Amino acid sequence: MTADQQPDPVTLADIEAAHARIADAVHDTPVLTSRLLDAHTRSKLFFKGEHLQRAGAFKARGASNAVLGLPGDVAARGVATHSSGNHGAALAMAAARRDIPAWIVMPENAPAVKRAAVAGYGATIVDCAPTLAAREETLAEVIDAHGAHVVHPYDDARVIAGQGTVALELLRAVPELDVIAAPVGGGGLLAGIAVAAKALKPSIEVIGVEPAGADDAFRSFGLGELQPQTNPQTIADGLRTSLGVRNFALIQRFVDTIVTVSEEAIVEAMRLQWTRMKAVVEPSGAVPFAGALEHGERFAGRRCGIVISGGNVDLDRLPW
């Protein structure tokens, strides 16, 4: 799907419809708290536990919304995407639920735990070089060969609407939030959360958090023009992607700010969440909490929603 074919911008109504559509396919994940981490940041933190989501990440929401909404004749051809792991596993899971085939183009250096998850749901993995150009070229070959329907990892209104259900649940559980912080890679999660949060509570501050070594969203937001992702260097493998066109338009409109965090802060956030919360959080999922650690002045004294986006960790490649 090209930018000029994109449906109307995602609205709260789209997100509410997605929530109803995927209700039986995903978990309403718990909101976790920790007095120790509150004290550490001098704030009140409410962690939305998407590491406990089906397939281990928030991606289950957008993928399920896209797949469950497909007409029968389209679904029968199967679905395809490119992914470093979490979206691929989520799409494979959603395809298995509808008993349709799925082809997932994955970079050769994708974490082993994420490759195993994709294969475990019965999808066909197609390897490619670890570049965005290679991913898109290989996906085009898959489409030509099989006629499958593409579900983009983030630059898709159905996916954005599905990811936005995170904010619906979080604000229903904790309506008194002052701020929501979410990671940003391709931007589907942040865009969806921002649309829902601002519609439900216009006064809330929405903060995107991004690794300093993969800062295209930060640069794009600051310059007001989409900037390319070039040679991303971060352990947060799920955030190495380029910001999507549709996502950027929504982020410009509904997100208050984007901040970056160091690799050291990401590792510290992971360690604290593992040891203090007993939560197995992957590097990308630790990025928003890293924002609270490294930009404490923005969070201190406030009620903060922190989205833990995923927990698919390669235990053989831990950063400590």
Side-chain angles (χ1 to χ4, degrees):
M1 183 183 291
T2 60
D4 58 358
Q5 295 172 314
Q6 175 65 15
D8 291 336
V10 176
T11 65
L12 179 62
D14 297 322
I15 295 169
E16 290 175 332
H19 197 251
R21 184 177 295 116
I22 67 177
D24 294 332
V26 303
H27 297 313
D28 184 337
T29 52
V31 176
L32 309 174
T33 58
S34 167
R35 286 181 296 174
L36 286 169
L37 298 187
D38 287 352
H40 198 78
T41 58
R42 295 178 294 110
S43 58
K44 183 65 177 174
L45 304 177
F46 299 88
F47 295 90
K48 180 62 169 165
E50 289 296 289
H51 62 303
L52 302 174
Q53 185 54 264
R54 288 180 175 170
F58 76 95
K59 294 284 191 178
R61 297 172 180 271
S64 295
N65 189 45
V67 171
L68 294 178
L70 289 176
D73 58 333
V74 176
R77 302 200 306 268
V79 291
T81 196
H82 64 74
S83 169
S84 64
N86 283 345
H87 175 69
L91 189 65
M93 181 191 72
R97 187 178 183 87
R98 284 200 71 168
D99 196 25
I100 60 176
W103 290 268
I104 312 299
V105 174
M106 299 190 73
E108 296 164 342
N109 64 348
V113 65
K114 296 185 179 182
R115 295 174 68 89
V118 171
Y121 287 115
T124 299
I125 296 175
V126 182
D127 288 322
C128 71
T131 66
L132 180 59
R135 286 162 63 148
E136 292 178 342
E137 183 178 308
T138 306
L139 179 60
E141 293 171 357
V142 169
I143 302 308
D144 287 344
H146 302 286
H149 179 80
V150 176
V151 179
H152 195 276
Y154 46 86
D155 205 349
D156 184 305
R158 303 162 301 178
V159 170
I160 295 169
Q163 320 305 29
T165 61
V166 169
L168 284 188
E169 294 175 5
L170 181 53
L171 281 169
R172 287 173 183 171
V174 195
E176 67 274 16
L177 288 180
D178 300 311
V179 59
I180 294 180
V184 54
L189 178 62
L190 180 60
I193 283 174
V195 170
K198 289 294 188 177
L200 292 170
K201 189 173 184 179
S203 65
I204 199 167
E205 183 178 12
V206 179
I207 300 176
V209 189
E210 186 175 46
D215 67 346
D216 63 312
F218 173 78
R219 289 183 286 111
S220 299
F221 191 81
L223 294 171
E225 182 177 340
L226 197 60
Q227 301 297 303
Q229 180 71 279
T230 56
N231 192 29
Q233 298 293 322
T234 178
I235 59 171
D237 59 278
L239 305 182
R240 295 173 186 157
T241 51
S242 295
L243 187 62
V245 174
R246 300 161 178 83
N247 316 80
F248 181 47
L250 292 169
I251 287 169
Q252 282 184 299
R253 182 175 176 186
F254 295 107
V255 171
D256 293 287
T257 192
I258 296 177
V259 300
T260 62
V261 292
S262 66
E263 296 297 287
E264 293 78 12
I266 296 171
V267 173
E268 182 184 3
M270 281 185 71
R271 290 183 69 102
L272 285 170
Q273 289 175 305
W274 282 52
T275 58
R276 299 303 187 186
M277 295 177 63
K278 312 306 177 188
V280 177
V281 178
E282 65 180 276
S284 300
V287 165
F289 180 45
L293 294 176
E294 204 159 64
H295 299 274
E297 72 285 353
R298 286 190 172 274
F299 296 85
R302 306 176 77 190
R303 293 161 298 200
C304 309
I306 304 290
V307 180
I308 302 176
S309 58
N312 293 317
V313 181
D314 189 340
L315 295 179
D316 294 324
R317 298 171 64 185
L318 289 173
W320 52 75

